[in-house]
Amino acid sequence: MLHLLYKFKGKRLVKMSNGETKTDVILIGAGIMSATLGTLLKELVPEWEITVFEKLSKAGEESSNEWNNAGTGHAALCELNYTNERPDGSVDISKAIKVNEQFQVSMQFWSHLVNSKLIANPQDFIRQLPHMSLVHGEENVTFLKKRFEALSNNPLFQGMEFSDNTEKLMEWIPLVMQNRTSKEPIAATKIDTGTDVNFGALTNMLFEHLESKDVVMNYNRSVNDIKRTSDGSWKLKVRNSVTGNVEHHTAKFVFIGGGGGSIHLLQKSGIPEGRRIGGFPVSGIFMVCNNPDVVAQHHAKVYGKAKVGAPPMSVPHLDTRFIDNKKTLLFGPFAGFSPRFLKNGSMFDLITSVKPDNLVTMLAAGAKNMSLTKYLIQQVLLSKEKRMEELREFIPNAKSEDWDLIVAGQRVQVIKDTEEGGKGTLQFGTEVVSAVDGSIAALLGASPGASTAVHVMLEVLTKCFPEHINEWEPKIKQMIPSYGLSLMDNPKLLQNIHTSTAETLRLSEKEPVFC
């Protein structure tokens, strides 16, 4: 067995005589995905040795960082892009159901971790917060009402309310409704069981737990190359960015969870499944309110409707956030373009990701997405005052001096050939690419991302460890009672899970007053 090839002392692996270090599992990237996969594996097979490599000096600093993402517990409660209107006028809620069920899996796993005392103080990473959708114009109001009727009849969305009454909306969102002079029809839906999730805080909690279980954390380490060895293992060439030293590490299983940087490593692995895949980076900018009096007037996540040509990740929203135990108000995101695949990446990331096998795919994507390119150029050229004008669609009396700009994280949308979309189809979602033998897997894509981390990592386990999944199933069901079941089809189980997770995660407790 692999773990007999080396000795483990404390939290350090002893190197073999040839300078290589061997381990069972290597996780590349110290974000929420690697943290979740590592935690699942330590629960299922605690004897497996796990090593983590992160290019930055600490965990959760890229896409998982609380300032680099929307922090929404993506449960499709407010995101209009998860519900599409069919040609016959009806609303398709199938994607909303899928996303909601996946988020419920995360909630159950987090509750298990709290109940097992593996992590503490759930309010440090999750809080209950109303989720709302807000639209303007007669056509959009009609759509929102039909969406509400379709969702509210489903047990997953029980408790959702709809209103086009300005007095009721004033109760729900006073900051948004104050001084609103437009006579244009306006409507909103609200559901009180939404959440705000600080994925940066959660990521650090999980890695602190993993370190206590002898998982070896290696920071300031960039994985420069990854190759298959003659015995089927994977050999990584790793550079220490502090000392400049090059290290070699080998494992039977490798997970590439390095955000946008995953594409380059997937390409270097040489697996056929990684061919003809490219990535399109989209950056983001949020506006953050620096006036506590304004922040105190809003308590919800309010999502609007994306502009024509905008990517789904650019849906405008006015969000209450809890960061470092402080109530904060953000608006955005405004899309932008940078060739970097990571916020701390290289300006050459995009160009070096173009290979002979994906060149045609990338060119086709460029030709098919000219409207997106035009939109991104327009967004990049926006002045702060132009951004304020968009904010005033949500807050009519917003003052420029109350808001600052912050650069959010990079998102890399997957580009690949599909049967439905043909050559160079831009994918908006989260995708796992794995070798046929399950020895390596990479996570690509963006939203809903972190919110569905547990579901996605269970998918990795199923794809990569099929010989173990039956053995692991009882433990998985202990951690996630709905595993293998549809909550929509089991309303009693759904109600029990809602009640238990809310209690364990302390979501029903009265919020403290923040300043």
Side-chain angles (χ1 to χ4, degrees):
M1 292 183 65
L2 180 64
H3 65 274
L4 297 178
L5 297 176
Y6 58 88
K7 295 180 180 179
F8 189 76
K9 295 183 178 180
K11 293 186 179 180
R12 293 188 178 276
L13 293 175
V14 177
K15 289 185 178 180
M16 305 294 289
S17 58
N18 62 0
E20 291 183 11
T21 300
K22 291 182 179 288
T23 188
D24 292 308
V25 173
I26 286 177
L27 307 176
I28 302 174
I32 187 62
M33 294 296 179
S34 290
T36 300
L37 181 58
T39 304
L40 281 167
L41 285 172
K42 272 300 176 182
E43 287 292 278
L44 297 170
V45 275
E47 68 273 16
W48 283 10
E49 308 297 355
I50 300 175
T51 301
V52 182
F53 295 104
E54 166 58 48
K55 68 178 294 185
L56 301 180
S57 60
K58 55 192 290 190
E61 287 298 284
E62 273 286 349
S63 296
S64 302
N65 184 272
E66 53 270 29
W67 291 106
N68 288 342
N69 62 63
T72 304
H74 280 277
L77 304 177
C78 56
E79 304 93 336
L80 295 172
N81 54 301
Y82 292 150
T83 48
N84 298 317
E85 190 168 10
R86 298 186 182 100
D88 65 359
S90 63
V91 178
D92 180 4
I93 65 170
S94 57
K95 186 172 183 180
I97 291 170
K98 179 180 176 181
V99 171
N100 188 288
E101 294 230 14
Q102 291 177 359
F103 183 67
Q104 301 301 331
V105 170
S106 292
M107 294 278 279
Q108 292 171 72
F109 184 61
W110 299 338
S111 296
H112 162 76
L113 297 178
V114 173
N115 282 328
S116 303
K117 298 185 173 13
L118 302 182
I119 61 174
N121 302 321
Q123 284 197 317
D124 286 347
F125 76 89
I126 187 168
R127 294 178 183 273
Q128 186 164 297
L129 189 70
H131 279 201
M132 299 182 61
S133 302
L134 178 71
V135 299
H136 306 83
E138 186 174 345
E139 184 177 337
N140 288 332
V141 169
T142 300
F143 165 75
L144 186 66
K145 190 168 186 178
K146 289 193 291 187
R147 176 184 182 272
F148 161 73
E149 291 169 350
L151 290 176
S152 59
N153 288 325
N154 188 291
L156 291 167
F157 301 92
Q158 188 174 6
M160 181 177 284
E161 301 175 72
F162 170 89
S163 182
D164 56 5
N165 180 282
T166 55
E167 291 183 5
K168 174 60 71 173
L169 295 179
M170 188 68 180
E171 292 178 20
W172 288 356
I173 39 177
L175 185 65
V176 174
M177 296 302 295
Q178 286 170 10
N179 301 320
R180 186 170 290 278
T181 58
S182 173
K183 300 300 182 181
E184 186 179 36
I186 184 171
T189 57
K190 179 171 79 82
I191 185 164
D192 290 329
T193 53
T195 56
D196 173 65
V197 184
N198 184 326
F199 287 105
L202 177 60
T203 298
N204 280 282
M205 286 180 179
L206 294 179
F207 277 121
E208 285 175 12
H209 160 66
L210 288 174
E211 284 194 87
S212 74
K213 297 296 182 181
D214 292 331
V215 168
V216 180
M217 302 295 299
N218 296 280
Y219 295 108
N220 301 303
R221 301 296 201 284
S222 294
V223 179
N224 291 344
D225 203 3
I226 179 168
K227 299 293 183 185
R228 200 73 184 263
T229 65
S230 58
D231 69 351
S233 301
W234 291 97
K235 183 177 180 180
L236 278 62
K237 181 180 178 182
V238 182
R239 184 178 64 85
N240 185 321
S241 61
V242 176
T243 67
N245 294 337
V246 173
E247 309 161 359
H248 296 278
H249 299 263
T250 304
K252 286 291 186 182
F253 173 74
V254 173
F255 173 69
I256 306 173
S262 295
I263 287 181
H264 285 106
L265 290 174
L266 179 62
Q267 291 172 336
K268 289 178 179 179
S269 74
I271 63 172
E273 294 80 4
R275 295 175 62 82
R276 292 185 296 279
I277 292 178
F280 185 81
V282 179
S283 60
I285 295 173
F286 280 100
M287 302 187 78
V288 58
C289 185
N290 58 40
N291 186 335
D293 292 334
V294 175
V295 174
Q297 296 177 57
H298 186 76
H299 190 77
K301 288 183 181 291
V302 182
Y303 272 56
K305 198 167 185 180
K307 294 182 181 298
V308 176
M313 63 168 290
S314 295
V315 173
H317 43 96
L318 180 67
D319 281 9
T320 294
R321 297 289 311 277
F322 295 96
I323 298 175
D324 296 329
N325 286 325
K326 180 181 179 182
K327 188 175 180 180
T328 307
L329 186 58
L330 278 76
F331 175 76
F334 296 93
F337 176 77
S338 165
R340 292 183 173 92
F341 278 3
L342 293 166
K343 192 174 180 179
N344 294 281
S346 166
M347 292 293 287
F348 299 101
D349 283 343
L350 176 58
I351 191 66
T352 56
S353 74
V354 180
K355 307 294 182 184
D357 65 83
N358 70 2
L359 176 60
V360 173
T361 298
M362 296 288 281
L363 290 174
K368 291 166 66 173
N369 290 280
M370 293 303 295
S371 61
L372 174 59
T373 303
K374 179 182 178 181
Y375 170 79
L376 293 178
I377 292 172
Q378 291 172 339
Q379 288 277 291
V380 169
L381 296 176
L382 286 178
S383 63
K384 181 180 178 181
E385 187 51 38
K386 286 293 184 181
R387 292 187 171 99
M388 288 300 302
E389 289 178 12
E390 294 199 22
L391 171 59
R392 291 184 185 114
E393 293 181 14
F394 279 74
I395 307 176
N397 61 345
K399 299 177 181 178
S400 183
E401 61 266 27
D402 291 340
W403 296 82
D404 300 315
L405 298 178
I406 61 167
V407 178
Q410 286 286 104
R411 299 291 184 270
V412 178
Q413 310 296 152
V414 177
I415 297 172
K416 67 177 188 178
D417 304 333
T418 67
E419 289 185 11
E420 301 82 11
K423 285 280 185 184
T425 302
L426 200 60
Q427 303 286 99
F428 295 103
T430 305
E431 187 166 343
V432 174
V433 178
S434 59
V436 68
D437 66 351
S439 63
I440 189 169
L443 185 80
L444 306 175
S447 183
S451 295
T452 59
V454 181
H455 168 83
V456 175
M457 292 304 100
L458 287 173
E459 180 185 341
V460 170
L461 294 180
T462 301
K463 283 186 172 184
C464 298
F465 301 99
E467 72 278 15
H468 293 292
I469 206 69
N470 288 336
E471 170 193 351
W472 292 344
E473 188 170 303
K475 178 65 176 179
I476 295 175
K477 286 184 175 180
Q478 180 185 332
M479 297 186 291
I480 303 161
S482 72
Y483 179 72
L485 300 172
S486 165
L487 284 172
M488 183 183 71
D489 297 332
N490 293 272
K492 186 174 181 180
L493 176 61
L494 172 63
Q495 184 58 52
N496 290 339
I497 286 171
H498 272 172
T499 301
S500 62
T501 56
E503 181 179 352
T504 299
L505 299 175
R506 296 163 58 186
L507 299 180
S508 57
E509 292 185 9
K510 186 177 180 180
E511 289 291 345
V513 177
F514 291 88
C515 59

